[in-house]
Amino acid sequence: MEVLLYLIPVAVSLGALGLFGFLWSLKSGQYDDLEGAKWRVLSDDDLPEAQRPVKLPDA
């Protein structure tokens, strides 16, 4: 039973630390652009010119 005197404050402090981290990430704008990452994956801007796919002109 004595171990609860240590475990409860440790659990509460870890929970508060997690909540602080989450609130900090909200304030710093980590969740502002949820759609941008999936479009950046598809872009070929970082490929060298020789490896970029050839774009055919419209007929």
Side-chain angles (χ1 to χ4, degrees):
M1 245 0 197
E2 291 178 12
V3 73
L4 289 179
L5 294 175
Y6 299 110
L7 289 179
I8 291 175
V10 167
V12 169
S13 63
L14 285 176
L17 184 66
L19 179 63
F20 172 75
F22 175 70
L23 293 175
W24 173 78
S25 69
L26 279 178
K27 186 176 180 178
S28 67
Q30 293 291 317
Y31 302 108
D32 285 348
D33 185 20
L34 296 177
E35 299 290 321
K38 72 178 180 182
W39 295 112
R40 281 191 298 272
V41 168
L42 298 176
S43 70
D44 290 332
D45 294 342
D46 58 344
L47 292 177
E49 189 67 37
Q51 293 180 353
R52 288 187 188 173
V54 176
K55 294 181 181 178
L56 298 176
D58 293 334

